[in-house]
């Protein structure tokens, strides 16, 4: 069995790795955007609740939360499927971090533009939608790339809940062939390749929507 | 309520193992915090090299370790190396793996801080006759480290949380013991929830300590990143 | 016909009066200039009139409607008032054209094609139509301000408010904006301009109000006020500003 064969076998798990990464990143985006928006629009009590959420989900290890959801909740009578467990652990934690990224980016939006939009007669929601969000998303690209990378790197935990992604394939293969060094080296390369593709894609997207003079320093 | 009392009774009975696990978690987190910082400084120093190849290699190192999951490296050493007759203890595997990974991240924080530094100051130091290693040690590093305190202390939190991954290579740290406890007593939800709260409490200690450190070390007029 | 009128308008901030007993009226097609030292309450006055700031006493009558009543539709009021800011406040993520069409499309619900037509018309009027694809960061200060004016005019406002429109501009660019205001005057656009730029006030004509410490102290033609006025505060302000020119 050559190194190429190993790579090819692992690549069959790459689909699940990408699926887990995308689903958890999407959960994170949704949660992060909701946090940033409610923080902007909501009352002081809402902000306090969001701060607690953020603190808790940034303070708990992904693996621990994953075990609470997947192995713990069934004991409470709530069965959670593997992929949903990943979204409720890795996804929510990513959301807490992305919420911080978005809040920081919102602070970079020029207050004068917000005032101008209000003076034009826009509602608070319209200002958020047409002025603050489009700028915030552009300012957040580096932070988002970091967080998506983190999600990809934690996605191997999915093997602990039985999702047949790259790491799971590697473990099965390594048990059968006892060639762990080559196999886990190949695992590293597969993840690095996915990482490169992901980062390239996000920056290409950023370039497509780049506005001159907004984000260059 | 009664089942919580029963749960705590069970925890008390398992206390010694859990405490030993907690000790191992703190040991691992403390070691990799130190080795990761030293490693990060070394990688950062190499990234400033005048040698193009050296810079390219450090860039590649940082990029690779930021782009690949730590557990691939841990599994390679723990499950792969024995095929060549190399058997390392779980702690050693974890220390090596984490150090390489954390060093890459720390180096990147330091590089970001370096870019914000006043280049004239470094120029002035060189003009004064300091060697490049002296400039690095006396001028660059103290400033860059101060500027990076928030990022570096955040990394300490990540170190503590990520040390739970070591349980996947049979290192008997806190979460491994909680796992053992949960299986034996069939108390999954409560046990994992307790584990989460313990991590949260430890993280809070680091947060408080880093705020204190930041206040102590901050230079007037210089804002950390 | 009176377009905008205030009666005994007052505004307090943290218990300190910022505006007191302001009686101001602006007729349709008229231009009025409010001058005064910085911190005199000029900008707050403008922001009270379009209800970005809530006045604490008195009334604002906009086209026979009391817009200080609590049930006033503030957003509808603001849509009828074009506001031009000192720092331009163009939306940095939108092209010049999109800056002008945004309000038409999202606030007026105008279809894209029509909004673009209308926006290009206003940009042409401001001599900016050939720059319509550019982004704010690619424009000079004077160009930015002309886009900001086109953006305000596109909404077909009943009145244009200028808040220190030239203070972020060098003299040459200020001249651009003064020309624009004069052109709008000829088109009978109603305008209220707050400034401490003497040159601007003189060049656009119109009645000048002198505001200091939240109170209107004098009103008259520019030359009347700039001349040797009896009020020492006014004399001091104008001689100092003239020195700054």
């Amino acid at each position: 069995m050559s190194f190429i064969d190993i790579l090819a076998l692992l690549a069959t798990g790459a689909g699940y790795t990408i699926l887990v990464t995308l689903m958890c990143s999407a959960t994170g985006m949704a949660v992060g955007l909701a946090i940033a928006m409610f923080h902007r629009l909501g009352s002081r009590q809402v902000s306090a609740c969001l701060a607690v959420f953020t603190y808790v989900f940034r303070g708990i290890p992904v693996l621990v939360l994953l075990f609470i959801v997947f192995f713990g909740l069934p004991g409470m009578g709530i069965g959670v499927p593997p992929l949903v467990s990943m979204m409720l652990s890795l996804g929510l934690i990513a959301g807490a971090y992305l919420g911080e990224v978005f809040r920081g980016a919102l602070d970079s939006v020029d207050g004068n533009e917000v005032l101008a939009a209000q003076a034009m007669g826009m509602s608070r929601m319209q200002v958020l939608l047409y002025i603050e969000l489009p700028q915030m998303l552009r300012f957040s690209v580096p932070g988002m790339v970091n967080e998506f990378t983190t999600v990809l790197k934690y996605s191997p935990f999915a093997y602990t809940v039985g999702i047949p992604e790259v790491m799971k394939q590697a473990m099965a293969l390594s048990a059968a062939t006892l060639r762990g060094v080559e196999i886990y080296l190949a695992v590293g390369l597969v993840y690095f390749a996915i990482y490169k593709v992901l980062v390239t894609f996000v920056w290409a997207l950023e370039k497509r929507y780049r506005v001159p003079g907004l984000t260059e320093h | 309520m009664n089942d919580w009392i029963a749960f705590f009774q069970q925890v008390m009975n398992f206390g010694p193992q859990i405490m030993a696990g907690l000790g191992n978690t703190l040991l691992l987190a403390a070691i990799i915090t130190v080795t990761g910082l030293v490693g990060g400084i070394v990688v950062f120093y190499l990234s400033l090299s005048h040698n193009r190849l050296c810079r390219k290699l450090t860039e590649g190192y940082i990029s690779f370790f930021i782009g690949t999951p730590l557990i691939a490296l841990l599994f390679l050493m723990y499950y792969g190396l024995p095929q060549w007759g190399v058997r390392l203890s779980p702690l050693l595997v974890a220390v090596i793996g984490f150090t390489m990974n954390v060093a890459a991240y720390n180096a990147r924080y330091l590089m970001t801080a370096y870019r914000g530094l006043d280049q004239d100051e470094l120029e002035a130091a060189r003009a004064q006759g300091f060697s490049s290693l002296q400039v690095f040690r006396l001028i660059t590093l103290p400033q860059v480290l101060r500027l990076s305190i928030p990022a570096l202390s955040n990394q300490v939190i990540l170190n503590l949380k990520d040390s739970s991954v070591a349980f996947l290579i049979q290192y008997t740290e806190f979460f491994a013991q909680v796992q053992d406890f949960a299986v034996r007593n069939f108390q999954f939800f409560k046990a994992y929830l307790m584990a989460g709260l313990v991590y949260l409490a430890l993280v809070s200690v680091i947060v408080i300590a880093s705020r204190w450190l930041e206040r102590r070390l901050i230079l007037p007029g210089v804002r950390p990143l | 016909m009176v377009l905008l009128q205030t009666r005994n308008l007052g505004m307090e901030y943290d218990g300190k009066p910022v505006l007191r007993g302001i009686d101001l009226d602006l007729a349709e097609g008229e231009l009025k200039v409010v001058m005064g030292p910085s911190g005199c309450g000029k900008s707050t006055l403008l922001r009270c009139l379009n209800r970005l700031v809530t006045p604490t006493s008195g009334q604002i009558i906009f086209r026979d409607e009391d817009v200080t009543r609590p049930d006033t539709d503030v957003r509808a009021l603001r849509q009828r008032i074009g506001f031009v800011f000192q720092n331009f406040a163009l939306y940095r993520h939108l092209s010049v054209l999109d800056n002008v069409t945004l309000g038409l499309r999202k606030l007026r619900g105008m279809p894209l094609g029509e909004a673009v037509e209308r926006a290009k018309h206003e940009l042409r009027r401001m001599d900016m139509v050939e720059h319509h694809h550019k982004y704010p960061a690619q424009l000079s200060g004077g160009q930015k301000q002309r886009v900001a004016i086109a953006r305000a005019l596109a909404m077909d406002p009943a009145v244009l408010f200028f808040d220190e429109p030239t203070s972020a501009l060098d003299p040459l660019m200020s001249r651009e904006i003064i020309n624009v205001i004069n052109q709008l005057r000829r088109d009978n656009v109603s305008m209220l301009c707050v400034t401490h730029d003497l040159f601007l006030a003189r060049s656009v004509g119109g009645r000048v109000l002198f505001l200091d410490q939240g109170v209107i102290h004098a009103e008259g033609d520019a030359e009347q006020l700039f001349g040797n006025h009896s009020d020492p505060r006014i004399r001091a302000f104008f001689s100092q500003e003239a020195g700054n020119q």
Side-chain angles (χ1 to χ4, degrees):
Chain A
M1 193 179 201
S2 71
F3 192 66
I4 301 293
D5 295 330
I6 295 175
L7 276 176
L9 267 168
L10 291 180
T12 58
Y16 278 101
T17 290
I18 292 169
L19 177 72
V20 169
T21 305
L22 288 183
M23 293 306 280
C24 292
S25 297
T27 310
M29 283 294 285
V31 172
L33 283 174
I35 290 177
M37 278 177 66
F38 281 116
H39 185 78
R40 200 70 163 178
L41 299 177
S43 59
R44 191 182 289 192
Q45 288 93 324
V46 172
S47 286
C49 289
L50 293 175
V52 171
F53 173 91
T54 305
Y55 192 79
V56 168
F57 282 82
R58 286 180 56 173
I60 193 165
V62 177
L63 203 55
V64 175
L65 187 56
L66 177 63
F67 276 41
I68 291 178
V69 174
F70 189 77
F71 298 109
L73 284 182
M76 304 276 104
I78 309 164
V80 188
L83 184 59
V84 179
S85 301
M86 286 302 291
M87 289 161 70
L88 289 180
S89 51
L90 183 51
L92 286 183
I93 288 173
Y97 279 95
L98 282 171
E100 293 290 285
V101 168
F102 292 148
R103 276 180 49 193
L106 271 178
D107 289 341
S108 305
V109 176
D110 183 2
N112 291 313
E113 291 171 49
V114 172
L115 191 67
Q118 282 172 334
M120 204 183 231
M122 284 192 197
S123 66
R124 193 67 196 81
M125 198 63 197
Q126 284 173 318
V127 175
L128 190 69
L129 223 51
Y130 303 131
I131 312 297
E132 293 178 299
L133 276 185
Q135 295 198 15
M136 178 203 85
L137 286 174
R138 287 178 173 88
F139 293 142
S140 306
V141 173
M144 287 194 281
V145 168
N146 276 345
E147 204 43 47
F148 296 158
T149 306
T150 304
V151 169
L152 172 69
K153 291 178 59 178
Y154 284 124
S155 73
F157 291 169
Y159 94 79
T160 62
V161 295
I163 297 176
E165 45 68 75
V166 173
M167 194 54 78
K168 181 104 181 155
Q169 305 284 2
M171 291 172 85
L173 201 59
S174 137
T177 62
L178 296 177
R179 289 173 60 185
V181 175
E182 294 98 313
I183 291 166
Y184 290 115
L185 195 63
V187 167
L189 291 178
V190 169
Y191 277 101
F192 190 65
I194 298 174
Y195 160 71
K196 277 289 173 196
V197 171
L198 179 90
V199 169
T200 311
F201 175 74
V202 175
W203 281 108
L205 208 64
E206 189 271 352
K207 200 174 170 196
R208 162 81 181 66
Y209 291 100
R210 187 180 298 167
V211 168
L214 187 65
T215 45
E216 292 105 289
H217 303 293
Chain B
M1 201 55 219
N2 273 334
D3 50 330
W4 278 102
I5 294 169
F7 171 72
F8 282 116
Q9 198 62 51
Q10 290 164 333
V11 171
M12 292 312 277
N13 293 339
F14 211 75
Q17 277 106 309
I18 290 186
M19 290 317 282
L22 202 55
N24 282 343
T25 287
L26 294 175
L27 177 70
L28 177 59
I31 294 177
I32 61 177
T33 293
V34 175
T35 56
L37 183 60
V38 173
I41 291 171
V42 172
V43 175
F44 167 59
Y45 180 71
L46 294 175
S47 79
L48 299 178
S49 161
H50 292 292
N51 185 330
R52 226 178 93 82
L53 181 68
C54 184
R55 279 203 314 270
K56 280 278 162 212
L57 283 176
T58 35
E59 253 170 54
Y61 172 85
I62 293 172
S63 173
F64 187 77
F65 280 95
I66 283 176
T68 50
L70 175 62
I71 76 168
L73 182 62
L74 297 180
F75 280 19
L76 187 150
M77 285 190 283
Y78 192 70
Y79 296 113
L81 285 183
Q83 84 191 48
W84 292 345
V86 183
R87 276 172 209 284
L88 304 175
S89 74
L91 178 62
L92 190 57
V93 168
V95 167
I96 297 172
F98 270 103
T99 300
M100 294 175 86
N101 198 277
V102 174
Y105 273 95
N106 282 342
R108 195 165 75 159
Y109 306 142
L110 297 176
M111 284 164 75
T112 310
Y114 180 75
R115 260 177 249 129
L117 224 58
D118 182 5
Q119 295 294 323
D120 291 345
E121 212 174 293
L122 306 179
E123 190 78 356
R126 255 175 249 126
Q128 228 182 329
F130 287 110
S131 76
S132 64
L133 190 61
Q134 279 174 318
V135 173
F136 180 77
R137 203 162 50 82
L138 301 172
I139 316 287
T140 309
L141 199 56
Q143 296 200 44
V144 163
L145 281 177
R146 276 194 176 86
L147 287 170
S148 314
I149 288 172
L152 292 173
S153 51
N154 203 36
Q155 185 62 45
V156 178
I157 293 174
L158 290 176
N159 292 345
L160 174 76
K161 291 194 304 171
D162 287 348
S163 69
S164 59
V165 176
F167 118 79
L168 299 175
I169 53 164
Q170 260 91 69
Y171 180 57
T172 49
E173 46 72 77
F174 175 64
F175 193 51
Q177 298 289 11
V178 171
Q179 166 78 357
D180 193 19
F181 166 82
V183 173
R184 281 170 197 238
N185 294 285
F186 214 70
Q187 284 279 23
F188 296 98
F189 184 71
K190 290 195 185 76
Y192 296 142
L193 195 64
M194 175 194 74
L197 292 175
V198 168
Y199 278 106
L200 211 54
L202 292 176
V203 164
S204 305
V205 172
I206 301 176
V207 168
I208 293 165
S210 73
R211 295 231 171 103
W212 176 82
L213 193 70
E214 211 172 306
R215 271 202 308 276
R216 282 286 310 270
L217 290 179
I218 204 147
L219 293 179
V222 182
R223 268 195 54 181
L225 297 173
Chain C
M1 216 183 93
V2 180
L3 168 78
L4 179 66
Q5 193 176 24
T6 69
R7 288 200 207 113
N8 198 28
L9 189 71
M11 152 75 198
E12 280 181 13
Y13 186 76
D14 268 353
K16 282 185 206 125
V18 182
L19 295 173
R20 275 179 297 161
I22 303 284
D23 289 313
L24 174 153
D25 51 287
L26 186 73
E28 300 272 2
E30 191 189 13
L31 162 70
K32 267 194 176 151
V33 179
V34 179
M35 298 198 77
S38 44
C40 71
K42 308 186 291 266
S43 290
T44 308
L45 175 60
L46 278 193
R47 283 163 172 70
C48 271
L49 294 178
N50 79 343
R51 296 288 311 273
L52 276 174
V53 168
T54 310
T56 32
S57 59
Q59 281 176 310
I60 303 167
I61 316 290
F62 186 86
R63 288 208 168 140
D64 298 329
E65 186 193 333
D66 181 352
V67 293
T68 33
R69 289 169 42 151
D71 62 340
T72 306
D73 183 348
V74 207
R75 292 177 45 211
L77 170 72
R78 289 178 192 162
Q79 289 183 32
R80 292 158 71 194
I81 298 174
F83 208 114
V84 177
F85 292 84
Q86 165 180 0
N87 41 44
F88 328 121
L90 293 182
Y91 309 130
R92 288 177 296 166
H93 63 299
L94 297 179
S95 69
V96 165
L97 187 67
D98 291 341
N99 257 280
V100 185
T101 57
L102 183 73
L104 294 172
R105 292 175 55 206
K106 304 300 179 188
L107 297 171
R108 293 265 193 277
M110 204 181 264
L112 180 64
E114 201 182 323
V116 168
E117 273 309 293
R118 171 116 193 80
K120 283 197 170 164
H121 170 77
E122 294 302 340
L123 286 170
R124 203 168 290 122
R125 213 168 145 194
M126 292 298 120
D127 205 17
M128 283 300 292
V129 75
E130 70 272 28
H131 300 290
H132 71 88
H133 57 277
K134 287 192 183 165
Y135 285 90
Q138 299 168 311
L139 303 176
S140 73
Q143 290 176 322
K144 281 182 196 165
Q145 199 56 300
R146 280 187 281 154
V147 173
I149 296 171
R151 179 174 73 180
L153 285 172
M155 298 290 282
D156 197 20
V159 57
L160 266 189
F161 285 0
F162 290 91
D163 186 8
E164 304 270 12
T166 55
S167 63
L169 300 174
D170 65 32
L172 206 67
M173 292 178 182
S174 295
R175 189 66 72 95
E176 277 175 46
I177 300 309
I178 288 166
N179 290 342
V180 167
I181 294 176
N182 275 322
Q183 176 196 331
L184 293 174
R185 259 203 109 179
R186 285 192 294 276
D187 295 344
N188 287 319
V189 177
S190 317
M191 289 180 278
L192 190 58
C193 179
V194 152
T195 185
H196 66 251
D197 180 349
L198 269 188
F199 185 69
L200 168 71
R202 272 198 153 118
S203 314
V204 297
R207 301 278 287 175
V208 178
L209 308 175
F210 181 76
L211 189 71
D212 190 19
Q213 295 181 343
V215 180
I216 293 178
H217 288 277
E219 174 170 359
D221 290 331
E223 299 311 324
Q224 246 176 300
L225 283 183
F226 299 152
N228 208 2
H229 201 273
S230 57
D231 190 325
R233 254 181 307 214
I234 302 179
R235 264 207 318 271
F237 170 74
F238 285 114
S239 62
Q240 195 196 334
E241 284 300 317
N244 287 344
Q245 298 281 310

